[in-house]
């Protein structure tokens, strides 16, 4: 499956994004031929974590969210990490960026604690998703249907639970990004 010609945004927090949940999906879409732009709250360097306490790596943030638009991209990846996801969902520009992908019916891949951004963006009503189990109630309170499965696809939205699910998650986001827009993605329940 090829993503040649596709432009994919991958979010990263200034500190606290889960390293494999950032690195592996980024590498998967690049390997399929996509052009990836790392988007953060601001440009510069972002430091990831391996778990909540162990440091990960530093990555370059290509664009600040205020300098991009969902219309610049064909898809979005939202990695997890407790601290990173919490920082991202607290930033209104990031939340508006995420919301715009749903309004434009573009595919979105989200893993682990990343669905916190979907809760904040108010795009979960009537959708079936998975996540790290500790945020199940947040998802249900936002109107989502939570299931405990390796990977779940719902109208262009791909979700997975944790780093152990990355192989299935990466394969499914490449597939959904290749399919392109999902008209039902823009519809709210």
């Amino acid at each position: 499956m090829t993503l040649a010609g596709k432009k994919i945004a991958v979010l990263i927090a200034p500190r606290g994004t889960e390293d494999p949940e950032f690195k592996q999906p980024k590498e998967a879409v690049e390997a399929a031929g996509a052009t990836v732009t790392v988007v953060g709250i601001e440009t510069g360097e972002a430091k990831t974590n391996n778990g909540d306490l162990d440091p990960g790596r530093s990555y370059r943030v290509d664009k600040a969210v205020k300098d991009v638009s969902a219309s610049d991209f064909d898809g979005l990846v939202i990695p997890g990490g407790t601290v990173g996801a919490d920082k991202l969902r607290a930033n209104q520009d990031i939340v508006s960026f995420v919301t715009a992908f749903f309004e434009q019916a573009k595919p979105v891949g989200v893993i682990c604690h990343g669905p916190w951004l979907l809760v904040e963006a108010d795009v979960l009503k009537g959708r079936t998703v998975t996540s790290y189990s500790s945020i199940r109630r947040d998802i249900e309170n936002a109107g989502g249907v939570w299931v405990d499965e390796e990977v779940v696809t719902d109208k262009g939205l791909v979700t997975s639970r944790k780093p152990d699910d990355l192989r299935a998650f990466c394969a499914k986001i490449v597939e959904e990004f290749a399919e392109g827009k999902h008209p039902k993605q823009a519809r709210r329940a």
Side-chain angles (χ1 to χ4, degrees), residues 78-80 85 89 110-121 123-124 129-132 135 138-139 142 146 157-161:
I78 304 173
R89 75 178 176 151
V110 191
I111 188 167
C112 198
H113 284 80
W116 267 342
L117 272 85
L118 306 182
V119 169
E120 207 63 39
V123 295
L124 288 176
V129 298
T130 194
S131 69
Y132 196 74
I135 67 169
D138 298 324
I139 289 167
W146 189 88
L157 172 62
V158 178
T159 53
S160 281
R161 303 169 298 188

Side-chain angles (χ1 to χ4, degrees), residues 25 77-78 108-112 115 127-132 145-177:
V77 176
I78 304 173
V108 177
V110 191
I111 188 167
C112 198
R127 293 184 189 276
T128 300
V129 298
T130 194
S131 69
Y132 196 74
V145 176
W146 189 88
V147 295
D148 185 11
E149 295 178 17
E150 182 179 51
V151 66
V152 175
T153 305
D154 186 319
K155 302 177 213 112
L157 172 62
V158 178
T159 53
S160 281
R161 303 169 298 188
K162 56 191 172 187
D164 292 347
D165 300 337
L166 277 163
R167 188 172 181 188
F169 178 72
C170 290
K172 188 51 91 171
I173 62 171
V174 167
E175 179 184 323
E176 291 300 305
F177 292 159

Side-chain angles (χ1 to χ4, degrees), residues 73-88:
F73 302 100
D74 300 297
L76 174 66
V77 176
I78 304 173
T82 310
V83 173
D86 196 50
K87 287 179 181 179
L88 292 175

Side-chain angles (χ1 to χ4, degrees), residues 23-187:
K23 184 177 183 254
Q24 290 182 35
K26 178 181 181 292
E27 289 175 348
V29 296
E30 287 173 333
T35 300
V36 172
T37 302
V38 177
V39 176
I41 295 170
E42 54 190 38
T43 58
E45 293 289 312
K47 295 186 184 293
T48 60
N49 288 352
N50 287 300
D52 289 335
L53 303 176
D54 294 331
R57 299 181 183 109
S58 290
Y59 295 94
R60 182 172 55 92
V61 179
D62 299 316
K63 297 279 187 176
V65 68
K66 65 180 176 27
D67 297 325
V68 294
S69 166
S71 61
D72 299 334
F73 302 100
D74 300 297
L76 174 66
V77 176
I78 304 173
T82 310
V83 173
D86 196 50
K87 287 179 181 179
L88 292 175
R89 75 178 176 151
N91 182 284
Q92 189 52 52
D93 291 333
I94 293 283
V95 173
S96 295
F97 184 64
V98 170
T99 302
F101 277 87
F102 286 85
E103 291 168 346
Q104 294 174 28
K106 294 181 178 179
V108 177
V110 191
I111 188 167
C112 198
H113 284 80
W116 267 342
L117 272 85
L118 306 182
V119 169
E120 207 63 39
D122 193 27
V123 295
L124 288 176
K125 288 181 186 72
R127 293 184 189 276
T128 300
V129 298
T130 194
S131 69
Y132 196 74
S133 62
S134 67
I135 67 169
R136 173 185 182 165
R137 195 70 62 218
D138 298 324
I139 289 167
E140 292 172 341
N141 287 341
V145 176
W146 189 88
V147 295
D148 185 11
E149 295 178 17
E150 182 179 51
V151 66
V152 175
T153 305
D154 186 319
K155 302 177 213 112
L157 172 62
V158 178
T159 53
S160 281
R161 303 169 298 188
K162 56 191 172 187
D164 292 347
D165 300 337
L166 277 163
R167 188 172 181 188
F169 178 72
C170 290
K172 188 51 91 171
I173 62 171
V174 167
E175 179 184 323
E176 291 300 305
F177 292 159
E179 288 178 9
K181 287 189 174 187
H182 291 72
K184 292 181 179 178
Q185 173 85 318
R187 297 191 191 133

